[in-house]
Amino acid sequence: MKEVFKRTGALTDAPFHYCPGCTHGIIHRLVAENLEELNLLGKAIGVTPVGCAGFCQQYFNIDMQGAAHGRAPAVATGIKRALPDRFVFTYQGDGDLASIGIAEVMHAAARGENITTIFVNNAIYGMTGGQMAPTTLPGQKTSTSPFGREPSVAGYPLDMPKIIAQIQGAAYVASVSVDSPKNVLQAKKAIRQAFEYQLAGRGFTFVSVLSTCPTNWGMSPVKALEWLRENMMKNYTLGVLKDAAAQ
Amino acid sequence: MAKGTVEVDKLRCKGCSICVEVCPQKVLNLSKEPNPKGYYYARQADPDNCTGCAMCALMCPDVAIRIWRQASGN
C-alpha cells in the first residue's frame, strides 16, 4: 500500500478550534498544501483577521501577523512593501472583509498591491454569535434577523468577488466553493493560480471561498453543505471572474 | 481484498460525519464510544470495500484522515 494522502507539513500539529464540520479547516488545508507545494514555507507571511480564523496563526507553519478588524490588506501592504521578496497573503472572513474592512480590500485591489487575499464567506458573523453579515442572503435567518433578512430594511448581500473583479488593479479574482470533493479540488487550483500570480508579480489576487457555519446556521455539518449548495452557490457568482494574464 | 485503507486520527476527529456521507462506498461510520473530547469519531467500518479514492480526506475539516492505496498493477 502506498500512502496517497497525509496531513501537510505546512500545518502544525495543533488541533483546529473550529466547530465540528466547519469548512475553515478544509480551506486552511488548501492554503497550507499550496504553500508547501510552491516551496513557500520559508518566505510566506500570513495576515490573520478578526473572527473565527483570528487564531489561525497557531495552525500554519509560517510567520503570521495579526491585524485589527478588517485591516489585514493594509497590514499586508506594509509587509509586502517593506519585504518585497516575501510571499504575503491575508485570510479573512466575510464579517471582517465585507463590512468593517471593505475599504482596505478595495484600495489594496485598486493599488494593484502584490498580495493575495483568501476571502471565506459563510454569510454570517460566526464568532460573535451568528448575527446578520453584509453577505447574509435575503430571507436567511440569523440571530439579528430571526424572521429572515428583509431587503427593504436590511438591504441586499454584497457579492465581493464580483465587485473586486471590476477593479483594474486586481490581476486574478476567483469565486469557489468547498461543498464537494470536486469543488474542493477546484478551490485548491484557484488558490494555486492566485499564489503563482503573486510570485510572478502580477498584482492583487483574490480568491473567495463559499463556506459553512453549521453552528450558527443551526444545521448538522452535512445539512449545512447542502444548504451551501442550494442557496449560497445559487446567489453568489462562481468561477474565475478575472484573469488579467488570460485577457 | 481492499484497494485502499483509511486511517482516522480519532483524537482529532470531531464526528461531523461529512466523511461518512461523502464516501461513495459507504465504508465509514461513527463510533459508539466517544473519544476523549466527547465526540463520536469516524472509523472504517467496512474496510474491504474501500477504494482509497480519498474523497473523505478531501472533505475532512480537521485534516484527520490518512489514505493508503494499493499500487496500480498489483
Side-chain angles (χ1 to χ4, degrees):
Chain A
M1 291 264 191
K2 186 171 157 255
E3 188 167 31
V4 290
F5 192 101
K6 65 170 183 186
R7 195 178 165 92
T8 164
L11 287 173
T12 62
D13 280 338
F16 296 146
H17 70 278
Y18 304 114
C19 303
C22 171
T23 46
H24 259 312
I26 302 178
I27 304 163
H28 278 21
R29 176 176 67 78
L30 300 180
V31 170
E33 284 180 352
N34 276 314
L35 289 173
E36 189 182 36
E37 285 162 19
L38 291 168
N39 227 348
L40 293 172
L41 293 188
K43 64 174 216 174
I45 301 174
V47 185
T48 67
V50 169
C52 292
F55 301 114
C56 73
Q57 75 280 356
Q58 303 170 59
Y59 307 132
F60 292 100
N61 255 333
I62 56 168
D63 288 337
M64 306 277 295
Q65 169 66 50
H69 201 183
R71 273 70 202 206
V75 173
T77 297
I79 296 172
K80 187 74 182 185
R81 289 194 177 199
L83 302 164
D85 61 324
R86 302 301 205 281
F87 178 85
V88 183
F89 69 95
T90 73
Y91 186 103
Q92 301 175 266
D94 51 315
D96 185 80
L97 181 141
S99 58
I100 193 168
I102 197 162
E104 280 70 18
V105 72
M106 299 273 273
H107 284 281
R111 292 190 305 269
E113 215 61 64
N114 195 26
I115 58 173
T116 302
T117 289
I118 308 296
F119 169 52
V120 180
N121 180 0
N122 61 8
I124 210 162
Y125 282 95
M127 186 188 68
T128 51
Q131 292 86 354
M132 181 168 60
T135 44
T136 297
L137 301 177
Q140 185 184 343
K141 287 181 184 168
T142 69
S143 60
T144 48
S145 60
F147 305 108
R149 181 177 188 161
E150 172 50 54
S152 66
V153 179
Y156 294 90
L158 285 173
D159 196 345
M160 286 311 298
K162 214 171 163 184
I163 295 168
I164 301 289
Q166 292 174 25
I167 299 174
Q168 204 180 341
Y172 179 80
V173 179
S175 175
V176 293
S177 171
V178 288
D179 66 297
S180 65
K182 179 174 161 253
N183 285 338
V184 166
L185 290 173
Q186 266 179 9
K188 186 175 172 182
K189 259 188 221 159
I191 295 171
R192 169 78 168 227
Q193 187 73 280
F195 283 7
E196 281 177 349
Y197 275 27
Q198 180 183 152
L199 292 172
R202 288 187 200 273
F204 187 72
T205 46
F206 185 90
V207 180
S208 160
V209 188
L210 296 181
S211 175
T212 63
C213 184
T215 300
N216 287 307
W217 290 0
M219 297 172 199
S220 73
V222 173
K223 268 258 171 289
L225 288 175
E226 278 167 26
W227 196 89
L228 167 72
R229 206 170 296 136
E230 279 155 26
N231 297 279
M232 291 187 58
M233 288 173 69
K234 287 182 182 153
N235 277 274
Y236 286 110
T237 324
L238 289 165
V240 176
L241 307 186
K242 186 170 184 189
D243 188 343
Q247 278 160 9
Chain B
M1 179 63 190
K3 289 188 219 135
T5 304
V6 172
E7 184 192 303
V8 181
D9 182 341
K10 72 174 186 182
L11 298 178
R12 235 180 246 290
C13 177
K14 294 180 187 145
C16 73
S17 82
I18 288 176
C19 58
V20 176
E21 287 297 315
V22 83
C23 175
Q25 301 290 326
K26 301 290 170 217
V27 304
L28 299 161
N29 69 7
L30 293 187
S31 65
K32 299 277 182 271
E33 290 298 312
N35 66 12
K37 285 181 187 157
Y39 295 118
Y40 297 100
Y41 55 91
R43 58 185 182 178
Q44 206 175 20
D46 183 11
D48 289 348
N49 284 324
C50 180
T51 61
C53 70
M55 283 196 192
C56 52
L58 284 175
M59 290 303 289
C60 177
D62 287 283
V63 202
I65 298 180
R66 288 170 80 178
I67 309 279
W68 284 267
R69 198 182 296 154
Q70 199 76 263
S72 55
N74 291 1

